[in-house]
Amino acid sequence: MLRYGREVSSLKRGAKAEAYKITKIAQSSLGGILLHDLHSKAISQYRNARLQCVEPSTVRIELSIIRRSLDVARREWGFDIPKNHAAMVTLPPPSKGRDRRLMPGELERLERELSHHPVALAVVRFAVHTAMRRGEILRIKWRDVNLAMRMVYLPQTKNGDPRTVPLPDGAVEVLEGLEATAEEAFPIDESALRWAWDRACLAANIRDLRFHDLRHEGVSRLFEMGLSAPEVALISGHKTIAMLMRYLHLRPIELARKLQGLKLPPSA
């Protein structure tokens, strides 16, 4: 597992997150089993134990890492492993997709608690307006910002393709309020942002809200503004409309207001 982390995972874009998972697996009871003693029952027991403390989606990722590491060991490293026991273990069903959006008053409370941390506050506001991923926001350089054209160029994204993001008014206002004292538009690292976020949610008494939920919030708000699915996808960076729809959670009350006064067209 550790060799896989050094030689394979380290080359991936999500190397840091995968390295953390590999360390956890290696430190578990499963990591102490010799390869020739490894069997599917031990991996199944690991799966069942992990399901007691983490989400099924996390367990699916961990089992996939184990399976891939054994495949590499068999095919490329010359390990005498007759079969990949991890491939025989049933993956837990995917977790139900999150549909958490900001409740009335939550954004205001978050902003109040983050008022002493202006950069973290700007990141949160920018995320709500653009539905960008946290990593994308933190990698924005001033040289890639064009306020006159109201666009930001992202040379590196999660799916590997660069994209140019048109900015809503709120996002432009956030950037205009920042001081260009560093190369990055948002000079804060991920750990500091996570600390500020967790502290603000706790102080504001906001439960079960993750930073990534702001992406759901942002996508839903863009639709509520009246943008089409292709237009929202251009901003959010989703490759397919199906993936985009997983982030859309319209509020019935907003749709009811939009429907007020509308009439069906006369039949032909």
PDB file of all heavy atoms in Angstrom, residues 157-178:
ATOM      1  N   THR A 157      -8.267  22.304 -13.518  1.00  0.00           N
ATOM      2  CA  THR A 157      -9.525  21.974 -12.866  1.00  0.00           C
ATOM      3  C   THR A 157      -9.533  20.503 -12.487  1.00  0.00           C
ATOM      4  O   THR A 157      -8.643  19.736 -12.867  1.00  0.00           O
ATOM      5  CB  THR A 157     -10.731  22.263 -13.780  1.00  0.00           C
ATOM      6  OG1 THR A 157     -10.661  21.421 -14.937  1.00  0.00           O
ATOM      7  CG2 THR A 157     -10.744  23.716 -14.225  1.00  0.00           C
ATOM      8  N   LYS A 158     -10.557  20.082 -11.762  1.00  0.00           N
ATOM      9  CA  LYS A 158     -10.622  18.704 -11.286  1.00  0.00           C
ATOM     10  C   LYS A 158     -10.678  17.711 -12.437  1.00  0.00           C
ATOM     11  O   LYS A 158     -10.067  16.634 -12.377  1.00  0.00           O
ATOM     12  CB  LYS A 158     -11.847  18.528 -10.393  1.00  0.00           C
ATOM     13  CG  LYS A 158     -11.987  17.130  -9.811  1.00  0.00           C
ATOM     14  CD  LYS A 158     -13.202  17.011  -8.920  1.00  0.00           C
ATOM     15  CE  LYS A 158     -13.350  15.603  -8.362  1.00  0.00           C
ATOM     16  NZ  LYS A 158     -14.555  15.462  -7.514  1.00  0.00           N
ATOM     17  N   ASN A 159     -11.411  18.050 -13.505  1.00  0.00           N
ATOM     18  CA  ASN A 159     -11.537  17.100 -14.610  1.00  0.00           C
ATOM     19  C   ASN A 159     -10.378  17.186 -15.596  1.00  0.00           C
ATOM     20  O   ASN A 159     -10.371  16.490 -16.611  1.00  0.00           O
ATOM     21  CB  ASN A 159     -12.880  17.296 -15.333  1.00  0.00           C
ATOM     22  CG  ASN A 159     -13.057  18.714 -15.860  1.00  0.00           C
ATOM     23  OD1 ASN A 159     -12.093  19.353 -16.275  1.00  0.00           O
ATOM     24  ND2 ASN A 159     -14.291  19.201 -15.848  1.00  0.00           N
ATOM     25  N   GLY A 160      -9.401  18.053 -15.300  1.00  0.00           N
ATOM     26  CA  GLY A 160      -8.202  18.109 -16.123  1.00  0.00           C
ATOM     27  C   GLY A 160      -8.227  19.100 -17.255  1.00  0.00           C
ATOM     28  O   GLY A 160      -7.186  19.391 -17.857  1.00  0.00           O
ATOM     29  N   ASP A 161      -9.389  19.652 -17.573  1.00  0.00           N
ATOM     30  CA  ASP A 161      -9.506  20.592 -18.685  1.00  0.00           C
ATOM     31  C   ASP A 161      -9.572  22.028 -18.169  1.00  0.00           C
ATOM     32  O   ASP A 161     -10.322  22.307 -17.229  1.00  0.00           O
ATOM     33  CB  ASP A 161     -10.766  20.305 -19.508  1.00  0.00           C
ATOM     34  CG  ASP A 161     -10.710  18.944 -20.173  1.00  0.00           C
ATOM     35  OD1 ASP A 161      -9.597  18.498 -20.507  1.00  0.00           O
ATOM     36  OD2 ASP A 161     -11.781  18.321 -20.359  1.00  0.00           O
ATOM     37  N   PRO A 162      -8.822  22.936 -18.763  1.00  0.00           N
ATOM     38  CA  PRO A 162      -8.941  24.340 -18.369  1.00  0.00           C
ATOM     39  C   PRO A 162     -10.291  24.896 -18.815  1.00  0.00           C
ATOM     40  O   PRO A 162     -10.919  24.360 -19.739  1.00  0.00           O
ATOM     41  CB  PRO A 162      -7.791  25.012 -19.117  1.00  0.00           C
ATOM     42  CG  PRO A 162      -7.555  24.138 -20.309  1.00  0.00           C
ATOM     43  CD  PRO A 162      -7.847  22.736 -19.852  1.00  0.00           C
ATOM     44  N   ARG A 163     -10.746  25.949 -18.164  1.00  0.00           N
ATOM     45  CA  ARG A 163     -11.993  26.565 -18.603  1.00  0.00           C
ATOM     46  C   ARG A 163     -11.994  28.041 -18.226  1.00  0.00           C
ATOM     47  O   ARG A 163     -11.304  28.473 -17.301  1.00  0.00           O
ATOM     48  CB  ARG A 163     -13.212  25.857 -18.014  1.00  0.00           C
ATOM     49  CG  ARG A 163     -13.525  26.136 -16.560  1.00  0.00           C
ATOM     50  CD  ARG A 163     -14.841  25.433 -16.175  1.00  0.00           C
ATOM     51  NE  ARG A 163     -15.373  25.846 -14.891  1.00  0.00           N
ATOM     52  CZ  ARG A 163     -15.052  25.324 -13.724  1.00  0.00           C
ATOM     53  NH1 ARG A 163     -14.170  24.342 -13.683  1.00  0.00           N
ATOM     54  NH2 ARG A 163     -15.594  25.765 -12.602  1.00  0.00           N
ATOM     55  N   THR A 164     -12.778  28.801 -18.964  1.00  0.00           N
ATOM     56  CA  THR A 164     -12.965  30.218 -18.688  1.00  0.00           C
ATOM     57  C   THR A 164     -14.352  30.400 -18.099  1.00  0.00           C
ATOM     58  O   THR A 164     -15.344  29.952 -18.680  1.00  0.00           O
ATOM     59  CB  THR A 164     -12.817  31.057 -19.971  1.00  0.00           C
ATOM     60  OG1 THR A 164     -11.496  30.876 -20.484  1.00  0.00           O
ATOM     61  CG2 THR A 164     -13.039  32.530 -19.679  1.00  0.00           C
ATOM     62  N   VAL A 165     -14.425  31.032 -16.946  1.00  0.00           N
ATOM     63  CA  VAL A 165     -15.673  31.144 -16.194  1.00  0.00           C
ATOM     64  C   VAL A 165     -16.226  32.556 -16.279  1.00  0.00           C
ATOM     65  O   VAL A 165     -15.588  33.513 -15.813  1.00  0.00           O
ATOM     66  CB  VAL A 165     -15.452  30.769 -14.716  1.00  0.00           C
ATOM     67  CG1 VAL A 165     -16.771  30.838 -13.951  1.00  0.00           C
ATOM     68  CG2 VAL A 165     -14.840  29.374 -14.601  1.00  0.00           C
ATOM     69  N   PRO A 166     -17.423  32.739 -16.854  1.00  0.00           N
ATOM     70  CA  PRO A 166     -18.092  34.046 -16.802  1.00  0.00           C
ATOM     71  C   PRO A 166     -18.561  34.313 -15.364  1.00  0.00           C
ATOM     72  O   PRO A 166     -19.033  33.401 -14.691  1.00  0.00           O
ATOM     73  CB  PRO A 166     -19.293  33.878 -17.748  1.00  0.00           C
ATOM     74  CG  PRO A 166     -19.054  32.594 -18.483  1.00  0.00           C
ATOM     75  CD  PRO A 166     -18.210  31.749 -17.603  1.00  0.00           C
ATOM     76  N   LEU A 167     -18.429  35.545 -14.903  1.00  0.00           N
ATOM     77  CA  LEU A 167     -18.712  35.853 -13.510  1.00  0.00           C
ATOM     78  C   LEU A 167     -20.021  36.617 -13.327  1.00  0.00           C
ATOM     79  O   LEU A 167     -20.245  37.640 -13.983  1.00  0.00           O
ATOM     80  CB  LEU A 167     -17.568  36.681 -12.918  1.00  0.00           C
ATOM     81  CG  LEU A 167     -16.193  36.029 -12.911  1.00  0.00           C
ATOM     82  CD1 LEU A 167     -15.155  37.011 -12.400  1.00  0.00           C
ATOM     83  CD2 LEU A 167     -16.208  34.758 -12.070  1.00  0.00           C
ATOM     84  N   PRO A 168     -20.883  36.159 -12.416  1.00  0.00           N
ATOM     85  CA  PRO A 168     -22.073  36.931 -12.052  1.00  0.00           C
ATOM     86  C   PRO A 168     -21.667  38.209 -11.308  1.00  0.00           C
ATOM     87  O   PRO A 168     -20.522  38.356 -10.861  1.00  0.00           O
ATOM     88  CB  PRO A 168     -22.848  35.977 -11.128  1.00  0.00           C
ATOM     89  CG  PRO A 168     -22.253  34.627 -11.360  1.00  0.00           C
ATOM     90  CD  PRO A 168     -20.828  34.856 -11.747  1.00  0.00           C
ATOM     91  N   ASP A 169     -22.607  39.121 -11.160  1.00  0.00           N
ATOM     92  CA  ASP A 169     -22.321  40.395 -10.494  1.00  0.00           C
ATOM     93  C   ASP A 169     -21.709  40.200  -9.109  1.00  0.00           C
ATOM     94  O   ASP A 169     -20.748  40.878  -8.744  1.00  0.00           O
ATOM     95  CB  ASP A 169     -23.613  41.219 -10.359  1.00  0.00           C
ATOM     96  CG  ASP A 169     -24.094  41.767 -11.694  1.00  0.00           C
ATOM     97  OD1 ASP A 169     -23.319  41.715 -12.665  1.00  0.00           O
ATOM     98  OD2 ASP A 169     -25.244  42.241 -11.756  1.00  0.00           O
ATOM     99  N   GLY A 170     -22.298  39.281  -8.337  1.00  0.00           N
ATOM    100  CA  GLY A 170     -21.814  39.081  -6.979  1.00  0.00           C
ATOM    101  C   GLY A 170     -20.369  38.647  -6.929  1.00  0.00           C
ATOM    102  O   GLY A 170     -19.604  39.080  -6.049  1.00  0.00           O
ATOM    103  N   ALA A 171     -19.952  37.799  -7.869  1.00  0.00           N
ATOM    104  CA  ALA A 171     -18.565  37.330  -7.906  1.00  0.00           C
ATOM    105  C   ALA A 171     -17.629  38.466  -8.290  1.00  0.00           C
ATOM    106  O   ALA A 171     -16.519  38.589  -7.758  1.00  0.00           O
ATOM    107  CB  ALA A 171     -18.434  36.170  -8.890  1.00  0.00           C
ATOM    108  N   VAL A 172     -18.056  39.314  -9.220  1.00  0.00           N
ATOM    109  CA  VAL A 172     -17.250  40.474  -9.610  1.00  0.00           C
ATOM    110  C   VAL A 172     -17.058  41.406  -8.420  1.00  0.00           C
ATOM    111  O   VAL A 172     -15.958  41.904  -8.159  1.00  0.00           O
ATOM    112  CB  VAL A 172     -17.916  41.230 -10.778  1.00  0.00           C
ATOM    113  CG1 VAL A 172     -17.173  42.534 -11.067  1.00  0.00           C
ATOM    114  CG2 VAL A 172     -17.947  40.364 -12.029  1.00  0.00           C
ATOM    115  N   GLU A 173     -18.119  41.612  -7.661  1.00  0.00           N
ATOM    116  CA  GLU A 173     -18.037  42.481  -6.481  1.00  0.00           C
ATOM    117  C   GLU A 173     -17.065  41.914  -5.452  1.00  0.00           C
ATOM    118  O   GLU A 173     -16.324  42.663  -4.798  1.00  0.00           O
ATOM    119  CB  GLU A 173     -19.423  42.647  -5.866  1.00  0.00           C
ATOM    120  CG  GLU A 173     -20.383  43.446  -6.731  1.00  0.00           C
ATOM    121  CD  GLU A 173     -21.797  43.436  -6.185  1.00  0.00           C
ATOM    122  OE1 GLU A 173     -22.010  42.886  -5.076  1.00  0.00           O
ATOM    123  OE2 GLU A 173     -22.691  43.967  -6.870  1.00  0.00           O
ATOM    124  N   VAL A 174     -17.046  40.590  -5.284  1.00  0.00           N
ATOM    125  CA  VAL A 174     -16.110  39.975  -4.343  1.00  0.00           C
ATOM    126  C   VAL A 174     -14.675  40.260  -4.771  1.00  0.00           C
ATOM    127  O   VAL A 174     -13.832  40.676  -3.965  1.00  0.00           O
ATOM    128  CB  VAL A 174     -16.343  38.450  -4.243  1.00  0.00           C
ATOM    129  CG1 VAL A 174     -15.216  37.791  -3.460  1.00  0.00           C
ATOM    130  CG2 VAL A 174     -17.681  38.162  -3.575  1.00  0.00           C
ATOM    131  N   LEU A 175     -14.364  40.057  -6.063  1.00  0.00           N
ATOM    132  CA  LEU A 175     -13.002  40.279  -6.552  1.00  0.00           C
ATOM    133  C   LEU A 175     -12.620  41.750  -6.469  1.00  0.00           C
ATOM    134  O   LEU A 175     -11.471  42.086  -6.141  1.00  0.00           O
ATOM    135  CB  LEU A 175     -12.880  39.775  -7.989  1.00  0.00           C
ATOM    136  CG  LEU A 175     -12.926  38.251  -8.175  1.00  0.00           C
ATOM    137  CD1 LEU A 175     -12.955  37.887  -9.651  1.00  0.00           C
ATOM    138  CD2 LEU A 175     -11.729  37.587  -7.495  1.00  0.00           C
ATOM    139  N   GLU A 176     -13.555  42.633  -6.748  1.00  0.00           N
ATOM    140  CA  GLU A 176     -13.267  44.065  -6.686  1.00  0.00           C
ATOM    141  C   GLU A 176     -12.970  44.514  -5.259  1.00  0.00           C
ATOM    142  O   GLU A 176     -12.274  45.510  -5.043  1.00  0.00           O
ATOM    143  CB  GLU A 176     -14.444  44.864  -7.251  1.00  0.00           C
ATOM    144  CG  GLU A 176     -14.588  44.745  -8.762  1.00  0.00           C
ATOM    145  CD  GLU A 176     -15.810  45.478  -9.287  1.00  0.00           C
ATOM    146  OE1 GLU A 176     -16.761  45.702  -8.499  1.00  0.00           O
ATOM    147  OE2 GLU A 176     -15.832  45.809 -10.494  1.00  0.00           O
ATOM    148  N   GLY A 177     -13.478  43.768  -4.285  1.00  0.00           N
ATOM    149  CA  GLY A 177     -13.261  44.117  -2.892  1.00  0.00           C
ATOM    150  C   GLY A 177     -11.968  43.563  -2.311  1.00  0.00           C
ATOM    151  O   GLY A 177     -11.629  43.854  -1.155  1.00  0.00           O
ATOM    152  N   LEU A 178     -11.228  42.769  -3.104  1.00  0.00           N
ATOM    153  CA  LEU A 178      -9.976  42.182  -2.622  1.00  0.00           C
ATOM    154  C   LEU A 178      -8.782  43.077  -2.958  1.00  0.00           C
ATOM    155  O   LEU A 178      -8.808  43.822  -3.944  1.00  0.00           O
ATOM    156  CB  LEU A 178      -9.766  40.801  -3.252  1.00  0.00           C
ATOM    157  CG  LEU A 178     -10.792  39.718  -2.893  1.00  0.00           C
ATOM    158  CD1 LEU A 178     -10.532  38.465  -3.737  1.00  0.00           C
ATOM    159  CD2 LEU A 178     -10.719  39.370  -1.411  1.00  0.00           C
TER     160      LEU A 178
END
